[in-house]
Amino acid sequence: QELKGEVRFERVSFFHSDHPVLHNVSFHAQPGQTIGLLGETGAGKTSLLHLIPRLYEKHSGEIYLDDNPIEVFDTKSLRKQISLVPQDVHLFSGSVRSNIAWGKENAKMSEVVEAAKQAQIHSFIKTLPDGYDTVLGQKGVTFSGGQKQRLSIARALVRKPKILILDDSTSALDAYTEMKLLNSLKTQQCTVFIVAQKISSLKEANQILLLHQGKLIAQGSHEELLNESPYYREVFQS
Ligand code: TTP
Ligand code: MG
């Protein structure tokens, strides 16, 4: 089934073995929206996001994608349309091109370049000795943390996902590069979930979900949260 990118959680709770991780989480993301996730370490951000491509099976409450219960989708077709950039970037010692096309080996060169441009890494790749054919780890070519993050975002984008999940994938980017990246994602027709610690990364989000110990303690735009949530003001405004 083709996804439109709508995601709805209704009173979703989730346990890791016996350990409660999410309690009664409800939110509604419209296709094309950007949803920010904020919360201290261990709050449940990664766990929540991993439920969307069905990386975890058991939860209570309902998750709907475009009004269909998530259980009706087979995981293979879901994961084709949902790109998750994990917290720990994984690159291998192949070419830049094959690293971007990983998981979509039939991607055309033009698609690889397009994804790299959107991920704000194309101009850096052009400076490498062999451009897109440069092999990582050879000829002394190493990538910085932020360059690795952008390469893995390009890998996610080359699949033209309907839902893009960035789990702390922009933490090493400067604010300006991150802003350019987020702006280029807005033209993508995909729903974006972004975990970030910097408020600047989330200001433009349609909604911010503020998680604390597995509970959604506030949700709304940056302005709404500033008005309504003392926790948001205190912990994250600085
Ligand atoms: P996460 O969902 O990993 O929390 P987080 O993503 O908000 O934290 P961080 O900012 O550090 O990335 O974990 C939520 C809770 O679930 C936490 O108490 C650890 C627990 N947990 C497990 O017990 N088993 C697991 O496999 C995972 C991923 C988490
Ligand atoms: Mg996490």
Side-chain angles (χ1 to χ4, degrees), residues 177-227:
T177 305
E178 186 180 39
M179 186 191 73
K180 286 206 295 187
L181 170 74
L182 294 177
N183 281 338
S184 90
L185 294 182
K186 278 191 196 145
T187 63
Q188 281 303 295
Q189 307 282 318
C190 83
T191 309
V192 179
F193 289 87
I194 174 170
V195 174
Q197 303 303 330
K198 288 174 284 185
I199 280 285
S200 64
S201 328
L202 302 177
K203 267 190 173 155
E204 303 288 317
N206 299 94
Q207 300 178 55
I208 299 168
L209 310 179
L210 181 51
L211 278 169
H212 179 63
Q213 296 179 356
K215 295 197 181 80
L216 200 50
I217 58 165
Q219 64 189 107
S221 67
H222 173 67
E223 281 74 23
E224 286 166 344
L225 291 188
L226 276 183
N227 284 325

Side-chain angles (χ1 to χ4, degrees), residues 126-197:
K126 295 303 276 181
T127 69
L128 295 171
D130 300 316
Y132 281 85
D133 295 321
T134 305
V135 174
L136 272 66
Q138 281 184 7
K139 298 188 191 170
V141 173
T142 54
F143 277 42
S144 73
Q147 287 158 349
K148 285 182 192 159
Q149 285 185 333
R150 280 175 285 161
L151 208 60
S152 63
I153 293 169
R155 175 189 285 170
L157 287 172
V158 83
R159 299 161 66 187
K160 300 190 175 68
K162 281 299 171 189
I163 299 173
L164 174 66
I165 299 173
L166 303 175
D167 191 352
D168 231 342
S169 312
T170 56
S171 56
L173 304 191
D174 61 88
Y176 178 66
T177 305
E178 186 180 39
M179 186 191 73
K180 286 206 295 187
L181 170 74
L182 294 177
N183 281 338
S184 90
L185 294 182
K186 278 191 196 145
T187 63
Q188 281 303 295
Q189 307 282 318
C190 83
T191 309
V192 179
F193 289 87
I194 174 170
V195 174
Q197 303 303 330

Side-chain angles (χ1 to χ4, degrees), residues 85-116:
V85 182
Q87 225 165 336
D88 306 310
V89 175
H90 179 74
L91 302 177
F92 52 89
S93 59
S95 68
V96 168
R97 178 183 178 166
S98 63
N99 266 280
I100 294 176
W102 184 72
K104 197 185 182 219
E105 277 71 17
N106 61 351
K108 295 192 202 98
M109 190 58 200
S110 58
E111 295 173 319
V112 170
V113 171
E114 180 64 23

